[in-house]
Amino acid sequence: MVGYGRKLQGLAIALSALAGFVDALGFVTLGGVFVSFMSGNSTRMSVGIADGNWSQAALVAGIIGLFLLGVVLGGVVAEATGPDRRTRKTSVLAAVSTLLFVGAVAAGLGWTPVAVVAMTLAMGAENNVFRRDGETSVALTYMTGALVKIGQRLAAAIFGGPRWTWLPYLGLWAGLVSGATLGALAHRMFGLHALWIATVGAVTLTVAVRFLPYSTGPTRPM
């Protein structure tokens, strides 16, 4: 995060909020299974296996597989787009927007399983927005790394290091928490139809990335 300009940091925080929003919708819909946080799902799958709850384990394993497929899909879109970073970000976000649109339509038709599949694929694909050397440089749908960075940079600041480099990671975490809170509230009011809100948000970010001026790469080495 600290290697990117403020506009790209803002984009990362907004995308984390989007991930939190969609994850909360999926979490409530699936009764405690995530569509973007695979560490938690891996633990739930393991507990299901240990308890002999094979239906839970199979459900979670399926979600993990879909998320992985979404990551592959987003990576293919990014690589096929070419080397231009702005175009790559736009293309990946367009794919995320399309998947969320499919999920919103499916929810409107009462096809909840299809909506869940689309949501999970979208969350996997989103992790390809920030890429460097073919790998994710900013994690958008899971925050353990961000919390570790906050702690590490606070410790460095105590011993004379940069005083405020922990703030972008705090923003990333706060974005996901805020988005998840709004997602849970939206589910209370609209159910899975709240995916339309996520779709509009994703489309807005896609347009912003395509047309707003910003530096497309890191401002300094990480």
Side-chain angles (χ1 to χ4, degrees), residues 173-193:
W173 175 81
L176 186 134
V177 170
S178 300
T181 302
L182 291 173
L185 292 172
H187 192 279
R188 287 186 181 181
M189 293 185 289
F190 308 113
L192 206 51
H193 298 291

Side-chain angles (χ1 to χ4, degrees), residues 1 4-17 130 140 168 171-172 175 205 209:
M1 282 286 284
Y4 289 96
R6 290 191 177 181
K7 289 184 179 179
L8 283 179
Q9 289 180 359
L11 173 64
I13 291 170
L15 287 170
S16 286
F130 287 88
L140 299 171
L172 201 63
L205 290 174
V209 168

Side-chain angles (χ1 to χ4, degrees), residues 100-163:
L100 290 175
F101 174 79
V102 170
V105 171
L109 295 172
W111 300 345
T112 300
V114 176
V116 170
V117 168
M119 294 161 63
T120 308
L121 291 173
M123 292 300 93
E126 184 181 308
N127 284 285
N128 288 279
V129 175
F130 287 88
R131 288 165 59 91
R132 186 182 303 141
D133 299 326
E135 296 183 355
T136 297
S137 57
V138 178
L140 299 171
T141 67
Y142 47 97
M143 289 298 117
T144 302
L147 291 171
V148 170
K149 289 287 188 181
I150 292 170
Q152 290 175 335
R153 291 179 183 275
L154 281 171
I158 292 172
F159 287 93
R163 293 179 61 185

Side-chain angles (χ1 to χ4, degrees), residues 27-171:
F27 184 85
V28 176
T29 300
L30 294 172
V33 177
F34 304 96
V35 295
S36 76
F37 178 52
M38 295 302 117
S39 295
N41 278 351
S42 296
T43 300
R44 287 188 65 87
M45 182 183 69
S46 300
V47 171
I49 292 172
D51 290 344
N53 189 342
W54 303 112
S55 60
Q56 174 183 298
L59 171 62
V60 179
I63 293 294
I64 292 172
L66 285 169
F67 182 86
L68 178 59
L69 182 60
V71 176
V72 173
L73 175 62
V76 169
V77 170
E79 292 295 335
T81 301
D84 182 73
R85 289 172 176 168
R86 181 189 294 270
T87 304
R88 281 190 171 192
K89 286 179 171 62
T90 303
S91 298
V92 172
L93 281 172
V96 171
S97 300
T98 301
L99 288 166
L100 290 175
F101 174 79
V102 170
V105 171
L109 295 172
W111 300 345
T112 300
V114 176
V116 170
V117 168
M119 294 161 63
T120 308
L121 291 173
M123 292 300 93
E126 184 181 308
N127 284 285
N128 288 279
V129 175
F130 287 88
R131 288 165 59 91
R132 186 182 303 141
D133 299 326
E135 296 183 355
T136 297
S137 57
V138 178
L140 299 171
T141 67
Y142 47 97
M143 289 298 117
T144 302
L147 291 171
V148 170
K149 289 287 188 181
I150 292 170
Q152 290 175 335
R153 291 179 183 275
L154 281 171
I158 292 172
F159 287 93
R163 293 179 61 185
W164 304 112
T165 55
W166 55 274
L167 280 175
Y169 297 100
L170 177 63

